[in-house]
Each structure stands twice: as structure tokens, then as C-alpha cells.
Coordinates of all heavy atoms in Angstrom, one line a residue:
M156 N 0.8 -1.2 0.0 CA 0.0 0.0 0.0 C 0.9 1.2 0.0 O 1.9 1.3 0.6 CB -0.9 0.0 1.3 CG -1.8 1.2 1.4 SD -2.4 1.4 3.1 CE -3.5 0.0 3.2
K157 N 0.4 2.3 -0.8 CA 1.1 3.6 -0.8 C 0.2 4.6 -0.4 O -1.1 4.5 -0.6 CB 1.6 3.9 -2.2 CG 2.7 2.9 -2.7 CD 3.2 3.2 -4.1 CE 4.3 2.3 -4.5 NZ 4.6 2.5 -5.9
A158 N 0.7 5.7 0.2 CA -0.2 6.8 0.7 C 0.4 8.1 0.2 O 1.6 8.3 0.1 CB -0.2 6.8 2.2
R159 N -0.5 9.1 -0.1 CA -0.1 10.4 -0.3 C -1.2 11.3 0.1 O -2.3 10.9 0.3 CB 0.2 10.7 -1.8 CG -1.0 10.9 -2.7 CD -0.6 11.2 -4.1 NE -1.8 11.5 -4.9 CZ -2.2 12.7 -5.3 NH1 -1.5 13.8 -5.0 NH2 -3.3 12.9 -6.0
V160 N -0.8 12.6 0.4 CA -1.8 13.6 0.8 C -2.1 14.5 -0.3 O -1.1 15.1 -0.9 CB -1.3 14.4 2.0 CG1 -2.3 15.5 2.4 CG2 -1.1 13.5 3.2
K161 N -3.3 14.7 -0.7 CA -3.7 15.6 -1.7 C -3.7 17.0 -1.1 O -4.6 17.3 -0.4 CB -5.1 15.3 -2.3 CG -5.1 14.0 -3.1 CD -6.4 13.6 -3.6 CE -7.3 13.0 -2.6 NZ -8.6 12.6 -3.1
K162 N -2.6 17.8 -1.4 CA -2.4 19.1 -0.8 C -3.6 20.0 -1.1 O -3.9 20.9 -0.3 CB -1.1 19.7 -1.3 CG 0.1 18.9 -0.8 CD 0.6 19.4 0.6 CE 1.9 18.9 1.0 NZ 2.3 19.3 2.3
D163 N -4.2 19.9 -2.3 CA -5.3 20.8 -2.7 C -6.6 20.5 -1.9 O -7.5 21.3 -1.9 CB -5.5 20.8 -4.2 CG -5.9 19.4 -4.7 OD1 -5.7 18.4 -3.9 OD2 -6.3 19.3 -5.8
T164 N -6.6 19.4 -1.2 CA -7.8 19.0 -0.4 C -7.6 19.1 1.1 O -8.5 19.3 1.9 CB -8.2 17.6 -0.8 OG1 -8.2 17.5 -2.2 CG2 -9.6 17.2 -0.2
C165 N -6.3 18.9 1.6 CA -6.0 18.9 3.0 C -6.3 20.3 3.6 O -6.0 21.3 2.9 CB -4.5 18.5 3.2 SG -4.0 18.7 4.9
I166 N -6.8 20.3 4.8 CA -7.0 21.6 5.5 C -6.1 21.8 6.7 O -6.3 22.7 7.5 CB -8.5 21.8 5.9 CG1 -9.0 20.6 6.8 CG2 -9.4 21.9 4.7 CD1 -10.3 20.7 7.4
G167 N -5.2 20.8 6.9 CA -4.2 21.0 7.9 C -4.8 20.8 9.3 O -4.2 21.3 10.3
C168 N -5.8 20.0 9.4 CA -6.4 19.8 10.8 C -5.5 19.0 11.7 O -5.7 19.1 12.9 CB -7.8 19.1 10.6 SG -7.7 17.4 10.3
G169 N -4.6 18.2 11.2 CA -3.7 17.4 12.0 C -4.2 16.1 12.5 O -3.4 15.4 13.1
A170 N -5.4 15.7 12.2 CA -5.9 14.4 12.7 C -5.1 13.3 12.3 O -4.7 12.4 13.1 CB -7.4 14.2 12.2
C171 N -4.6 13.2 11.0 CA -3.9 12.1 10.5 C -2.5 12.0 11.2 O -2.0 10.9 11.4 CB -3.7 12.2 9.0 SG -2.8 13.7 8.5
T172 N -1.9 13.1 11.6 CA -0.6 13.1 12.3 C -0.7 12.6 13.7 O 0.3 12.2 14.3 CB 0.0 14.5 12.3 OG1 -0.8 15.3 13.2 CG2 0.0 15.1 11.0
V173 N -1.9 12.5 14.3 CA -2.2 11.9 15.6 C -2.4 10.4 15.4 O -1.9 9.6 16.1 CB -3.3 12.6 16.3 CG1 -3.6 12.0 17.6 CG2 -3.0 14.1 16.5
I174 N -3.3 10.1 14.5 CA -3.7 8.7 14.3 C -2.6 7.8 13.7 O -2.4 6.7 14.1 CB -4.9 8.6 13.3 CG1 -6.1 9.4 14.0 CG2 -5.3 7.2 13.0 CD1 -7.3 9.7 13.0
A175 N -1.8 8.4 12.8 CA -0.7 7.7 12.1 C 0.5 8.5 12.2 O 1.0 9.0 11.2 CB -1.0 7.3 10.7
D176 N 1.0 8.7 13.4 CA 2.1 9.7 13.7 C 3.5 9.2 13.1 O 4.4 10.0 13.0 CB 2.3 10.0 15.2 CG 2.6 8.7 16.0 OD1 2.3 7.6 15.6 OD2 3.2 8.9 17.1
K177 N 3.6 8.0 12.7 CA 4.8 7.5 12.1 C 4.8 7.7 10.6 O 5.8 7.5 9.9 CB 5.1 6.0 12.4 CG 5.4 5.8 13.9 CD 5.8 4.3 14.1 CE 6.3 4.2 15.6 NZ 5.1 4.3 16.5
V178 N 3.7 8.1 10.0 CA 3.6 8.2 8.6 C 3.3 9.7 8.1 O 3.9 10.1 7.2 CB 2.5 7.3 8.0 CG1 2.3 7.5 6.6 CG2 2.8 5.8 8.3
F179 N 2.5 10.4 8.9 CA 2.1 11.8 8.5 C 2.6 12.8 9.4 O 2.7 12.6 10.6 CB 0.6 11.9 8.4 CG -0.1 10.9 7.5 CD1 -0.8 9.8 7.9 CD2 0.1 11.1 6.1 CE1 -1.4 8.9 7.0 CE2 -0.5 10.2 5.2 CZ -1.3 9.1 5.7
Q180 N 3.0 14.0 8.8 CA 3.4 15.1 9.6 C 2.9 16.4 8.9 O 2.4 16.3 7.8 CB 5.0 15.2 9.7 CG 5.6 15.5 8.3 CD 7.1 15.5 8.3 OE1 7.7 15.2 9.4 NE2 7.7 15.8 7.2
I181 N 2.8 17.5 9.7 CA 2.4 18.7 9.1 C 3.7 19.4 8.5 O 4.7 19.5 9.2 CB 1.8 19.7 10.1 CG1 0.4 19.1 10.7 CG2 1.5 21.0 9.5 CD1 -0.7 18.9 9.6
G182 N 3.7 19.7 7.2 CA 4.8 20.3 6.6 C 4.9 21.8 6.8 O 4.1 22.4 7.5
E183 N 6.0 22.3 6.2 CA 6.2 23.8 6.3 C 5.0 24.6 5.8 O 4.9 25.8 6.2 CB 7.5 24.2 5.6 CG 8.7 23.7 6.4 CD 10.0 24.0 5.7 OE1 10.0 24.8 4.7 OE2 11.1 23.6 6.2
D184 N 4.3 24.1 4.9 CA 3.1 24.8 4.3 C 1.9 24.7 5.2 O 0.8 25.2 4.8 CB 2.8 24.3 2.9 CG 2.6 22.8 2.8 OD1 2.5 22.1 3.9 OD2 2.4 22.2 1.7
G185 N 2.0 24.0 6.3 CA 0.9 23.9 7.2 C -0.1 22.8 6.9 O -1.2 22.7 7.5
L186 N 0.3 22.0 5.8 CA -0.6 20.9 5.4 C 0.1 19.6 5.6 O 1.4 19.5 5.8 CB -0.9 21.1 3.9 CG -1.6 22.4 3.5 CD1 -1.7 22.5 2.0 CD2 -3.0 22.5 4.1
A187 N -0.7 18.5 5.7 CA -0.1 17.2 6.0 C 0.7 16.7 4.8 O 0.5 17.0 3.6 CB -1.2 16.2 6.3
E188 N 1.7 15.8 5.1 CA 2.5 15.1 4.1 C 3.0 13.8 4.7 O 3.1 13.7 5.9 CB 3.6 16.0 3.6 CG 4.6 16.4 4.7 CD 5.6 17.4 4.3 OE1 5.3 18.2 3.4 OE2 6.7 17.5 5.0
V189 N 3.5 12.9 3.9 CA 4.1 11.7 4.4 C 5.5 12.0 4.9 O 6.2 12.9 4.4 CB 4.2 10.6 3.4 CG1 2.8 10.1 3.0 CG2 4.9 11.0 2.1
I190 N 5.9 11.3 5.9 CA 7.2 11.6 6.6 C 8.4 11.1 5.8 O 9.4 11.8 5.6 CB 7.3 11.0 8.0 CG1 6.2 11.7 8.9 CG2 8.6 11.2 8.6 CD1 6.0 11.1 10.2
N191 N 8.3 9.9 5.2 CA 9.4 9.3 4.4 C 9.0 9.1 3.0 O 8.8 7.9 2.6 CB 9.8 8.0 5.1 CG 10.4 8.2 6.4 OD1 11.4 9.0 6.6 ND2 9.9 7.5 7.4
P192 N 8.9 10.1 2.1 CA 8.5 9.9 0.8 C 9.5 9.1 0.0 O 10.8 9.2 0.2 CB 8.4 11.3 0.2 CG 9.3 12.2 1.1 CD 9.2 11.5 2.4
D193 N 9.0 8.4 -1.0 CA 9.9 7.6 -1.9 C 10.6 8.6 -2.8 O 10.1 9.4 -3.5 CB 8.9 6.7 -2.8 CG 9.7 5.8 -3.7 OD1 10.5 6.3 -4.6 OD2 9.6 4.6 -3.6
E194 N 12.0 8.5 -2.8 CA 12.8 9.4 -3.5 C 12.6 9.4 -5.0 O 12.6 10.4 -5.7 CB 14.3 9.2 -3.2 CG 14.7 9.5 -1.8 CD 14.7 10.9 -1.4 OE1 14.8 11.8 -2.4 OE2 14.6 11.3 -0.2
K195 N 12.4 8.2 -5.5 CA 12.2 8.1 -7.0 C 10.9 8.8 -7.4 O 10.9 9.5 -8.5 CB 12.1 6.6 -7.4 CG 13.5 6.0 -7.4 CD 13.4 4.6 -8.1 CE 14.8 3.9 -7.9 NZ 14.6 2.6 -7.4
E196 N 9.8 8.6 -6.7 CA 8.5 9.2 -7.0 C 8.7 10.8 -6.9 O 8.2 11.5 -7.7 CB 7.4 8.8 -6.0 CG 7.1 7.4 -6.1 CD 6.1 7.1 -7.3 OE1 5.8 8.0 -8.0 OE2 5.7 5.9 -7.4
L197 N 9.5 11.2 -5.9 CA 9.7 12.6 -5.7 C 10.4 13.2 -6.9 O 10.0 14.3 -7.4 CB 10.5 12.8 -4.4 CG 10.4 14.1 -3.7 CD1 9.0 14.6 -3.4 CD2 11.2 14.1 -2.4
E198 N 11.4 12.5 -7.4 CA 12.1 13.0 -8.5 C 11.3 13.0 -9.8 O 11.4 13.9 -10.6 CB 13.4 12.1 -8.8 CG 14.6 12.6 -8.1 CD 15.8 11.6 -8.2 OE1 15.9 11.0 -9.3 OE2 16.5 11.4 -7.3
K199 N 10.5 11.9 -9.9 CA 9.7 11.7 -11.1 C 8.6 12.8 -11.3 O 8.5 13.4 -12.4 CB 9.1 10.3 -11.1 CG 8.8 9.7 -12.4 CD 8.5 8.2 -12.4 CE 7.4 7.9 -11.5 NZ 7.1 6.4 -11.4
N200 N 7.9 13.0 -10.3 CA 6.7 13.9 -10.4 C 6.5 14.9 -9.3 O 5.5 15.6 -9.2 CB 5.4 13.1 -10.6 CG 5.2 12.1 -9.5 OD1 5.8 12.3 -8.5 ND2 4.5 11.0 -9.8
G201 N 7.5 15.0 -8.4 CA 7.5 15.9 -7.3 C 6.4 15.6 -6.2 O 6.2 16.4 -5.4
E202 N 5.9 14.4 -6.3 CA 4.9 13.9 -5.4 C 5.5 13.2 -4.2 O 6.4 12.4 -4.4 CB 3.9 13.0 -6.0 CG 3.1 13.6 -7.1 CD 1.6 13.9 -6.6 OE1 1.5 14.4 -5.4 OE2 0.7 13.6 -7.3
K203 N 5.0 13.5 -3.0 CA 5.5 12.8 -1.8 C 4.6 11.6 -1.6 O 3.4 11.7 -1.1 CB 5.5 13.7 -0.6 CG 6.6 14.8 -0.7 CD 6.7 15.6 0.6 CE 7.9 16.6 0.5 NZ 8.0 17.4 1.7
I204 N 5.1 10.4 -2.0 CA 4.3 9.2 -1.8 C 5.1 8.2 -1.0 O 6.3 8.1 -1.2 CB 4.0 8.6 -3.2 CG1 3.2 9.6 -4.1 CG2 3.2 7.3 -3.1 CD1 3.0 9.1 -5.5
Q205 N 4.5 7.6 0.0 CA 5.2 6.7 0.8 C 4.7 5.3 0.8 O 3.5 5.1 0.8 CB 5.2 7.2 2.3 CG 6.0 6.3 3.3 CD 6.1 7.0 4.6 OE1 6.0 8.2 4.8 NE2 6.2 6.1 5.7
E206 N 5.6 4.3 0.7 CA 5.2 2.9 0.8 C 4.9 2.6 2.2 O 5.7 3.0 3.1 CB 6.3 2.0 0.3 CG 6.1 0.5 0.3 CD 5.1 0.1 -0.8 OE1 5.3 0.5 -2.0 OE2 4.2 -0.7 -0.5
I207 N 3.8 2.1 2.5 CA 3.4 1.9 3.9 C 3.7 0.5 4.4 O 3.2 -0.5 3.8 CB 1.9 2.1 4.1 CG1 1.5 3.5 3.6 CG2 1.5 2.0 5.6 CD1 2.2 4.7 4.2
T208 N 4.5 0.3 5.4 CA 4.9 -1.0 5.9 C 3.7 -1.6 6.7 O 2.7 -0.9 7.1 CB 6.0 -0.9 6.9 OG1 5.7 0.1 7.9 CG2 7.3 -0.4 6.2
K209 N 3.7 -2.9 6.7 CA 2.5 -3.7 7.3 C 2.1 -3.1 8.7 O 0.9 -3.0 9.0 CB 2.9 -5.1 7.4 CG 2.6 -5.9 6.2 CD 2.1 -7.3 6.6 CE 1.4 -8.0 5.4 NZ 2.2 -8.5 4.4
D210 N 3.1 -2.8 9.5 CA 2.8 -2.4 10.9 C 2.1 -1.1 11.0 O 1.5 -0.7 12.0 CB 4.0 -2.5 11.8 CG 5.2 -1.7 11.2 OD1 5.2 -1.5 10.0 OD2 6.0 -1.2 12.0
N211 N 2.2 -0.3 9.9 CA 1.5 1.0 9.9 C 0.2 1.1 9.1 O -0.5 2.1 9.1 CB 2.4 2.1 9.3 CG 3.5 2.5 10.3 OD1 3.3 2.6 11.5 ND2 4.7 2.7 9.8
Q212 N -0.1 -0.1 8.4 CA -1.3 0.0 7.5 C -2.6 0.2 8.2 O -3.4 1.0 7.7 CB -1.3 -1.3 6.7 CG -0.2 -1.4 5.6 CD -0.3 -2.5 4.7 OE1 -1.2 -3.3 4.8 NE2 0.6 -2.6 3.8
E213 N -2.8 -0.4 9.3 CA -4.1 -0.2 10.0 C -4.3 1.3 10.4 O -5.4 1.8 10.2 CB -4.1 -1.1 11.3 CG -5.5 -1.4 11.8 CD -5.5 -2.3 13.0 OE1 -4.6 -3.2 13.0 OE2 -6.3 -2.1 13.9
N214 N -3.2 1.9 10.9 CA -3.3 3.3 11.4 C -3.5 4.2 10.1 O -4.3 5.2 10.2 CB -2.0 3.7 12.1 CG -2.0 3.2 13.5 OD1 -3.0 2.7 14.0 ND2 -0.9 3.3 14.1
V215 N -2.9 3.9 9.0 CA -3.0 4.7 7.8 C -4.4 4.6 7.3 O -5.0 5.7 6.9 CB -1.9 4.3 6.8 CG1 -2.2 5.0 5.4 CG2 -0.6 4.8 7.3
V216 N -5.0 3.4 7.3 CA -6.4 3.3 6.8 C -7.3 4.1 7.7 O -8.2 4.8 7.3 CB -6.8 1.8 6.7 CG1 -8.3 1.6 6.4 CG2 -6.0 1.1 5.6
D217 N -7.1 3.9 9.0 CA -7.9 4.6 10.0 C -7.8 6.2 9.8 O -8.8 6.9 9.8 CB -7.3 4.3 11.4 CG -8.3 4.6 12.5 OD1 -9.4 5.0 12.2 OD2 -7.9 4.6 13.7
A218 N -6.5 6.6 9.5 CA -6.3 8.1 9.3 C -7.1 8.5 8.0 O -7.7 9.6 8.0 CB -4.8 8.4 9.2
S219 N -7.0 7.7 7.0 CA -7.6 8.0 5.8 C -9.1 8.1 5.9 O -9.8 9.1 5.4 CB -7.3 7.0 4.7 OG -8.1 7.1 3.6
E220 N -9.7 7.2 6.7 CA -11.2 7.2 6.9 C -11.6 8.3 7.8 O -12.7 8.8 7.8 CB -11.6 5.8 7.5 CG -11.5 4.7 6.4 CD -11.7 3.3 7.0 OE1 -11.9 3.2 8.3 OE2 -11.8 2.4 6.2
S221 N -10.7 8.8 8.7 CA -11.0 9.8 9.6 C -10.8 11.2 9.1 O -11.2 12.2 9.7 CB -10.1 9.7 10.9 OG -10.3 8.4 11.5
C222 N -10.0 11.3 7.9 CA -9.7 12.6 7.4 C -11.0 13.3 6.9 O -11.8 12.8 6.2 CB -8.8 12.5 6.1 SG -8.6 14.0 5.3
P223 N -11.3 14.5 7.5 CA -12.6 15.2 7.2 C -12.8 15.6 5.7 O -13.9 15.9 5.3 CB -12.5 16.4 8.1 CG -11.1 16.7 8.4 CD -10.4 15.3 8.4
T224 N -11.7 15.7 5.0 CA -11.9 16.1 3.6 C -11.5 15.1 2.6 O -11.4 15.3 1.4 CB -11.0 17.4 3.3 OG1 -9.6 17.0 3.5 CG2 -11.3 18.5 4.2
G225 N -11.2 13.9 3.1 CA -10.8 12.8 2.1 C -9.5 13.1 1.4 O -9.4 12.7 0.2
A226 N -8.6 13.7 2.1 CA -7.3 14.1 1.4 C -6.3 13.1 1.3 O -5.3 13.3 0.7 CB -6.8 15.4 2.1
I227 N -6.5 11.9 2.0 CA -5.4 10.9 2.0 C -5.8 9.9 1.0 O -6.8 9.2 1.0 CB -5.3 10.3 3.4 CG1 -4.8 11.3 4.4 CG2 -4.3 9.1 3.4 CD1 -4.8 10.8 5.9
E228 N -4.9 9.7 0.0 CA -5.1 8.8 -1.1 C -4.3 7.6 -0.9 O -3.1 7.6 -0.7 CB -4.7 9.4 -2.4 CG -5.0 8.6 -3.6 CD -4.7 9.3 -4.9 OE1 -3.5 9.3 -5.3 OE2 -5.6 9.9 -5.5
L229 N -5.0 6.4 -0.9 CA -4.3 5.1 -0.7 C -4.3 4.3 -2.0 O -5.4 4.3 -2.6 CB -4.9 4.3 0.4 CG -5.0 5.0 1.8 CD1 -5.7 4.1 2.8 CD2 -3.6 5.4 2.3
T230 N -3.2 3.8 -2.4 CA -3.2 3.0 -3.6 C -2.4 1.7 -3.3 O -1.6 1.6 -2.3 CB -2.5 3.7 -4.8 OG1 -1.2 4.2 -4.4 CG2 -3.3 4.8 -5.3
E231 N -2.6 0.7 -4.2 CA -1.8 -0.6 -4.0 C -0.4 -0.5 -4.4 O -0.1 0.3 -5.3 CB -2.5 -1.7 -4.7 CG -3.8 -2.2 -3.9 CD -3.6 -2.4 -2.4 OE1 -2.6 -3.1 -2.1 OE2 -4.4 -1.9 -1.6
Ligands
SF4_1348 S1 -6.6 14.5 8.5 FE1 -6.9 15.1 6.3 S2 -7.3 17.3 6.4 FE2 -6.5 16.7 8.4 S3 -4.2 17.2 8.2 FE3 -4.6 15.0 7.7 S4 -4.8 15.0 5.4 FE4 -5.1 17.1 6.1

């Protein structure tokens, strides 16, 4: 599973950074982002996308479902 935050949708409420604190943080722009983005994806399209390890998956799904604006995108 991979996760990214859609910056145009995030309102910076911080809920995801509490629910999945090992994956999401509030960036310098005041909006959420993944903490350890894949470098190749970052180079390719400037997107911060993180591969989610098994031990974080439950929290990340929980964070995604709890996000008030649906800003957390999960893909396989
Ligand atoms: S829960 Fe959603 S709106 Fe709130 S900071 Fe996280 S991604 Fe942004």
C-alpha cells in the first residue's frame, strides 16, 4: 500500500498526524504530508508518496477514513 496527501484538499487539521504519527506530519506549508517519501517518486513527479509498511497499514487506513476532507489517497 502507498499513501499520499492531496495538498489541494487537505485543510491541515492534523488528525492524521495523531492517528498515524509514524507516517504523516504537518509540513512547512501547514498541510499534511508523508514523513518518508519515496525518493524516486519525488524526482519523477514531485509527489510525496510513501510505501506503507505492514505495521503502519491499520493506522493509515484509520487516518484516511478519519480525514474530514478525504485528502489521504491510498493505492496498492
Ligand atoms: S486529516 Fe486530512 S485534512 Fe487533516 S491534516 Fe490530515 S490529510 Fe489534512
Side-chain angles (χ1 to χ4, degrees):
M156 179 198 290
K157 292 179 180 175
R159 80 175 182 105
V160 175
K161 293 181 276 183
K162 292 272 189 181
D163 57 349
T164 310
C165 174
I166 55 170
C168 73
C171 60
T172 68
V173 176
I174 297 168
D176 63 335
K177 292 190 173 65
V178 176
F179 300 107
Q180 66 185 3
I181 296 295
E183 286 178 8
D184 56 5
L186 302 172
E188 61 188 23
V189 294
I190 295 173
N191 293 307
D193 183 300
E194 292 292 338
K195 285 193 188 127
E196 295 279 1
L197 201 53
E198 268 175 36
K199 205 164 60 180
N200 52 23
E202 290 257 47
K203 291 187 176 178
I204 301 174
Q205 181 171 332
E206 180 75 42
I207 307 302
T208 55
K209 274 215 159 74
D210 54 332
N211 283 321
Q212 286 188 2
E213 200 177 323
N214 284 349
V215 168
V216 169
D217 195 9
S219 172
E220 289 173 353
S221 302
C222 174
T224 61
I227 297 172
E228 184 176 84
L229 303 179
T230 53
E231 284 311 312

